[in-house]
Amino acid sequence: MEKEKKSPVSDVGAWGMNIVSSVGIIMANKQLMSPNGFAFGFATTLTGFHFSVTALVGLVSNATGYSASKHVPLWELVWFSLVANASITGMNLSLMLNSVGFYQISKLSMIPVVCVMEWILHRKHFSREVKIAVAVVVVGVGICTVTDVKVNAKGFLCACVAILCTSLQQISIGSLQKKYSIGSFELLSKTAPIQALSLLVLGPFVDYFLTGKLLSDYKLSTGAFFFILLSCSLAVFCNISQYLCIGRFSAVSFQVLGHMKTVCVLTLGWLLFDSQLTFKNLLGMALAVLGMIVYSWAVEAEKHPKVLPSHLSEEDLKPLKEGVAESPLKDVVIGESKV
C-alpha cells in the first residue's frame, strides 16, 4: 500500500488536525494536572482514559460500517502496543527523574534517532538539504526550550528507553499500514483497546511510583471531570491525526514538522498563561520555522527527479542518443529506461 496521500488539501488538514488537537490537549492537561488547576497528577492513567475513548470511537465506527476491519496478526498488535506503552511510561519517568532541560534534549534527539532507525530498518537515505534542515530545526527548538541540563543514571536510562520506543513506534505505524494495506484509523482502532487495557491496569501503579499518590484518594470535582472529558476528546483527534500524518508522510517528517506544536505551545503559553517570551525564545522559534520550511522544500524536491532542460536542440541531443544506441545493455530514450 502506498502512503495515505489523497491531495494537498487533505494533507494540510491532517497536519492542521494534529497541531490543533496536540496543542489543545497540552493546554487542557496543563489546567487539569497543574497544582494551580485541578492537581490531577496521574498522567499514565489519564493516557489509559485517552485510549479507552479512542477504542470506543473505533468500535462504534466499525459497528456502523464507517470503517472496515482488516486482519492484522494479534502478536504484531500486542508487540506494537507494548512498544507504545513503554514509550509513554519512559517519557513520564524521564520527566520525573531528569531536569526539564534534559527532557527537552531527549525529545529533540528523536529526530536523528528516527533518521538512523529508518536507515537501518528500511535503508532509507536522506539528501544533504534534508539533513541541514533537520539540524536547523533541532538547533531552533533547542534554543527555544532547553534551559538547565541535569541528568542521572536512572534518568538517562529512562530517557534512552523513551527515545528508542517512541521512534520505533512511529516508524512501525507506517510499516504496519504498508505491510497489511490498512488505513490509519483502522490500525488505531485495533491497537487502542490493547493499549487502553494495559494502561488502565498498570497506570495507577506507575503513577503511584511517580507521585506517591493513589488514584482512589483523588477527589473528583465537576471541573476536573470536564477537563478529563475534554482531554479524552482531544486525544481521539490527536491519535487519529498522528496515524494519518505518519501514514501519509513519514516518521521523520512527523518529528520535524511536529515541532511546530512546540512553537504554538510557547506562543499560547505567553498569551494565556503569562509565560515569559524572551529574545532567545523568539530567535529559536524563527530558526525552527525556517528549518521546517527548508525541510518541506527539500522533501518535495526529492519527489521530483531532475530532468533534462526542454530547450536543448536536436543537435545537442544527437551525441547523447548515439551513445545510448550503442549500449547493448538497455534501450534508453533520453534517460528513460524501457522495460
Side-chain angles (χ1 to χ4, degrees), residues 30 91-108 141-142 144-152 155 159 262 266 280:
K30 183 177 179 65
M91 280 295 182
N92 289 338
L93 288 171
S94 176
L95 183 59
M96 180 191 77
L97 297 173
N98 298 315
S99 66
V100 175
F102 184 80
Y103 176 74
Q104 291 295 343
I105 286 179
S106 67
K107 289 182 68 176
L108 285 175
V141 177
C144 284
T145 58
V146 176
T147 52
D148 60 309
V149 179
K150 297 178 182 178
V151 65
N152 55 73
T262 304
L266 286 172
K280 174 175 169 284

Side-chain angles (χ1 to χ4, degrees), residues 212-287:
K213 298 178 182 179
L214 292 171
L215 179 63
S216 57
D217 293 337
Y218 182 77
K219 295 182 179 179
L220 186 65
S221 64
T222 303
F225 182 71
F226 169 78
F227 274 96
I228 290 174
L229 286 180
L230 178 61
S231 180
C232 289
S233 301
L234 290 169
V236 174
F237 292 100
C238 187
N239 288 330
I240 292 174
S241 60
Q242 177 184 354
Y243 279 59
L244 277 173
C245 289
I246 296 177
R248 288 167 179 267
F249 307 99
S250 69
V252 177
S253 295
F254 182 77
Q255 279 291 332
V256 172
L257 299 181
H259 279 296
M260 178 60 73
K261 292 177 283 190
T262 304
V263 175
C264 293
V265 168
L266 286 172
T267 304
L268 288 177
W270 172 60
L271 293 173
L272 301 179
F273 297 101
D274 296 325
S275 298
Q276 187 178 9
L277 197 62
T278 64
F279 174 76
K280 174 175 169 284
N281 297 136
L282 293 173
L283 176 62
M285 289 163 62
L287 276 176

Side-chain angles (χ1 to χ4, degrees), residues 171-222:
I171 292 173
S172 299
I173 290 174
S175 298
L176 288 174
Q177 289 183 49
K178 182 178 180 180
K179 184 176 181 180
Y180 296 104
S181 298
I182 188 171
S184 304
F185 185 72
E186 287 75 18
L187 178 60
L188 177 60
S189 65
K190 288 182 174 297
T191 58
I194 302 173
Q195 289 186 253
L197 180 61
S198 55
L199 286 172
L200 289 177
V201 172
L202 299 175
F205 297 100
V206 174
D207 290 329
Y208 178 74
F209 174 74
L210 292 173
T211 64
K213 298 178 182 179
L214 292 171
L215 179 63
S216 57
D217 293 337
Y218 182 77
K219 295 182 179 179
L220 186 65
S221 64
T222 303

Side-chain angles (χ1 to χ4, degrees), residues 260-320:
M260 178 60 73
K261 292 177 283 190
T262 304
V263 175
C264 293
V265 168
L266 286 172
T267 304
L268 288 177
W270 172 60
L271 293 173
L272 301 179
F273 297 101
D274 296 325
S275 298
Q276 187 178 9
L277 197 62
T278 64
F279 174 76
K280 174 175 169 284
N281 297 136
L282 293 173
L283 176 62
M285 289 163 62
L287 276 176
V289 172
L290 176 63
M292 293 172 203
I293 294 172
V294 174
Y295 177 83
S296 301
W297 167 81
V299 170
E300 193 64 27
E302 285 185 340
K303 297 177 183 178
H304 303 285
K306 295 180 180 180
V307 296
L308 291 173
S310 58
H311 64 270
L312 290 179
S313 65
E314 187 66 24
E315 186 176 345
D316 294 326
L317 293 175
K318 187 176 180 180
L320 177 60

Side-chain angles (χ1 to χ4, degrees), residues 37 73 101 142 166 281 327-328:
T166 303
N281 297 136
S327 173

